[in-house]
Amino acid sequence: MLDPTEHEPQRKVMMIDTKSFYASCECVALGMNPMKTMLIVMSQAENTNGGLVLAASPMAKKNLGIKNVDRRRDVPDDPRLIIKPPRMNYYIAMNKRINDVFREYVGDDDLQLYSIDESLLDVTSSWEYLKYRFGQDLTMKKLARIIQLEVKNKMGLYLTVGIGENPVMAKLALDLEAKKNHSLIGEWHYETVPAKLWPITDLTDVWSIGKRTAKTLNRLGIVSMRDLAFFDPYRLKKELGVRGNELTALAWGVDRSIVSHKYHPKENSISNSQVLPRDYYLERDIKTVIREIGEQVASRLRSKHKMGGVVSLYIGSAMSETVPGFSAQTKISPTNNSQMIVDALYKIFDAHYEGQVVRNIGVSVGKLEADGHEQLDLFIPVETNVKQHKIDSTIDDIRHKFGTTALVKLSSKSKGGTMIQRAGLVGGHNGGNAYG
DNA sequence: TCTGGGGTCCTAGGACCC
DNA sequence: TCTGGGGTCCTAGGACCC
């Protein structure tokens, strides 16, 4: 077979993440070295049995065997271990500083923020400039080292760098090689994919392949990435639809997307969800939490000046419950009004609820659009609409000034409410300030 | 894993229209 | 009516990632 990747884009791409990001940020805040300190960041929400490990420093992982998502009870009682609550806003600020460093090496168009601790850099178009600046013998590995050192010197953080000829290859190099190398750098090319990717037999190690997909592939007799690469692509397409095509490309390290052509995924939905601290038996209590989460989502919509046109509710049953949970959604006329969103949630709930014992509740609002031109619902008197808007804005003001707990509706103080315990959370983690 | 939380994308199938 | 086919919109559910 001729080289099927011969005509694929050959660019200079890096996927960079920060080693144990949250934990490392806490280490440097204490003036300590992230690679030499045993530290974990642990949330302390009521419903996680007193805490959940969100990040562990390399030494905490290595010496104490702590893993992310461990529970408090799994954490050994060791006097050397430093335990810190999460401060999302601080991590967001640190992430911004790191990306400011990246902008010295690539233009804005060639930088894509992938997650809170991962960024994609395409240095193809700045390569000549970079060679001029750092020497004609510059290589991607050398450049990775230069960037690592700058961030280490400026902020005390250690970067892990995956280098590839396209975004997905850089991501694979990061996940599958860089993290294991002492240099914290991994470099892949199309030619090295067979040696580095194909031997993998635990398919879930590969980005975008989860447990279910791995199982489906196994069922087709595919037990390694090599098998995947050579599996009949037409049959795979037939079995898995477009996903089949994506998987074949993945096995060859192929990805035709270009960073500077990145499409800006417009924010499509805002959601909040929680595992309740105990099983909920009473419909009234369940509805109280639905209202709280609905109000929280509505408040986030308003602070982003967005309105949502579809509301969805997810109810998860307790483990002991035989009746399954449900999720359902409904279209609404676009709004960010708390009462309208909660009303829609209640309508969904009433239509589907069959008395289940509940442990999980989620609310999502989608079809977002900019607010400011809200259609007034013709069936509600104008004054009511305006008045409701005023009430919501006032509540938001108070929450901004005094924190989320300052104003909790009376029913939240009943047994069902969880708002008080959850106050101050950002993205489900403790934001470390009044309002995220 | 007796239950973390926020988010995106894809698909199947039904309703409805031309 | 034992009737075709294409397109769009909508909902429920699945899968995966950080």
Side-chain angles (χ1 to χ4, degrees):
Chain A
M1 195 194 304
L2 291 170
D3 177 7
T5 61
E6 179 177 19
H7 299 294
E8 295 301 328
Q10 299 183 349
R11 303 188 66 86
K12 296 182 179 308
V13 180
M14 292 182 183
M15 179 72 104
I16 307 183
D17 84 348
T18 307
K19 188 97 187 149
S20 307
F21 183 55
Y22 299 172
S24 294
C25 286
E26 293 299 337
C27 288
V28 300
L30 295 170
M32 303 171 102
N33 183 314
M35 300 300 273
K36 295 178 183 160
T37 307
M38 286 195 275
L39 183 148
I40 59 175
V41 173
M42 190 155 69
S43 76
Q44 274 135 21
E46 282 290 311
N47 53 347
T48 54
N49 289 322
L52 181 84
V53 176
L54 297 174
S57 70
M59 290 300 271
K61 284 179 183 161
K62 196 175 155 206
N63 294 348
L64 302 176
I66 300 172
K67 300 185 298 293
N68 292 348
V69 200
D70 273 355
R71 312 290 144 168
R72 178 177 282 274
R73 60 171 179 275
D74 306 319
V75 173
D77 196 11
D78 190 304
R80 295 169 298 171
L81 180 66
I82 302 167
I83 302 178
K84 287 284 175 188
R87 297 185 286 167
M88 295 311 291
N89 293 339
Y90 167 50
Y91 310 144
I92 291 165
M94 291 292 266
N95 169 260
K96 187 179 174 305
R97 286 181 58 192
I98 293 170
N99 281 289
D100 286 343
V101 171
F102 295 161
R103 287 189 180 90
E104 297 168 18
Y105 301 86
V106 289
D108 248 357
D109 284 349
D110 288 313
L111 174 66
Q112 186 171 10
L113 278 52
Y114 180 70
S115 74
I116 190 162
D117 75 329
E118 280 176 288
S119 294
L120 202 48
L121 287 70
D122 185 335
V123 297
T124 312
S125 61
S126 50
W127 191 246
E128 285 308 314
Y129 157 74
L130 292 167
K131 279 210 304 201
Y132 168 75
R133 189 170 150 195
F134 296 110
Q136 291 301 310
D137 59 346
L138 186 68
T139 63
M140 285 294 272
K141 269 204 176 113
K142 281 185 186 171
L143 181 62
R145 187 84 194 118
I146 289 167
I147 297 174
Q148 279 179 325
L149 282 174
E150 182 173 353
V151 169
K152 172 69 176 65
N153 291 336
K154 278 193 173 150
M155 314 173 58
L157 297 171
Y158 290 81
L159 300 183
T160 311
V161 184
I163 299 168
E165 299 188 58
N166 62 47
V168 95
M169 203 188 299
K171 174 67 171 156
L172 294 174
L174 175 72
D175 290 349
L176 299 170
E177 186 174 336
K179 290 176 182 185
K180 291 171 198 152
N181 282 350
H182 179 71
S183 63
L184 298 179
I185 297 171
E187 180 167 9
W188 285 25
H189 295 275
Y190 289 107
E191 311 87 79
T192 51
V193 164
K196 299 193 178 193
L197 182 64
W198 290 359
I200 290 172
T201 52
D202 184 350
L203 301 179
T204 60
D205 284 350
V206 181
W207 176 82
S208 86
I209 301 180
K211 228 166 50 184
R212 305 297 291 262
T213 304
K215 212 169 163 185
T216 306
L217 293 174
N218 288 163
R219 196 165 41 72
L220 294 169
I222 297 167
V223 298
S224 70
M225 290 304 287
R226 177 189 307 279
D227 292 345
L228 183 59
F230 289 102
F231 194 84
D232 175 9
Y234 298 101
R235 187 164 162 223
L236 203 61
K237 167 96 201 286
K238 217 167 162 186
E239 298 278 351
L240 292 159
V242 295
R243 186 81 186 107
N245 291 346
E246 289 169 10
L247 286 167
T248 302
L250 181 70
W252 289 88
V254 165
D255 174 7
R256 292 176 187 157
S257 61
I258 307 281
V259 174
S260 62
H261 300 173
K262 66 192 167 193
Y263 78 113
H264 298 270
K266 49 182 171 41
E267 199 168 26
N268 285 323
S269 70
I270 290 182
S271 65
N272 284 103
S273 67
Q274 57 178 294
V275 176
L276 300 169
R278 58 177 171 79
D279 292 346
Y280 274 41
Y281 292 84
L282 297 180
E283 184 168 332
R284 198 191 41 187
D285 290 344
I286 297 164
K287 282 186 138 173
T288 298
V289 179
I290 292 173
R291 181 174 55 67
E292 286 180 355
I293 301 177
E295 287 176 346
Q296 189 180 352
V297 170
S299 172
R300 288 175 63 198
L301 279 172
R302 293 191 294 273
S303 72
K304 289 168 183 277
H305 301 289
K306 294 281 173 65
M307 299 188 301
V310 62
V311 172
S312 69
L313 174 69
Y314 166 71
I315 296 289
S317 290
M319 283 185 172
S320 55
E321 177 63 78
T322 51
V323 183
F326 59 86
S327 90
Q329 64 182 50
T330 187
K331 245 186 102 179
I332 54 171
S333 72
T335 184
N336 53 27
N337 175 292
S338 290
Q339 194 57 53
M340 290 187 179
I341 286 170
V342 171
D343 284 348
L345 290 167
Y346 281 176
K347 212 172 272 177
I348 297 170
F349 181 79
D350 292 337
H352 291 82
Y353 184 62
E354 300 171 70
Q356 294 97 318
V357 182
V358 171
R359 192 57 183 264
N360 230 298
I361 298 179
V363 168
S364 176
V365 174
K367 273 211 190 310
L368 301 192
E369 56 182 75
D371 71 5
H373 54 91
E374 183 170 8
Q375 298 277 327
L376 291 181
D377 190 324
L378 295 176
F379 300 100
I380 295 176
V382 173
E383 314 89 76
T384 316
N385 224 319
V386 171
K387 210 170 83 193
Q388 187 62 49
H389 204 270
K390 270 191 183 154
I391 292 171
D392 286 342
S393 305
T394 309
I395 291 174
D396 290 346
D397 287 348
I398 293 171
R399 283 179 174 157
H400 267 292
K401 278 185 196 138
F402 305 110
T404 320
T405 42
L407 200 152
V408 179
K409 284 194 186 162
L410 215 55
S411 60
S412 281
K413 294 186 176 149
S414 72
K415 251 182 121 192
T418 62
M419 187 71 143
I420 289 170
Q421 291 97 308
R422 294 172 52 77
L425 302 192
V426 172
H429 306 305
N430 192 329
N433 66 1
Y435 194 76

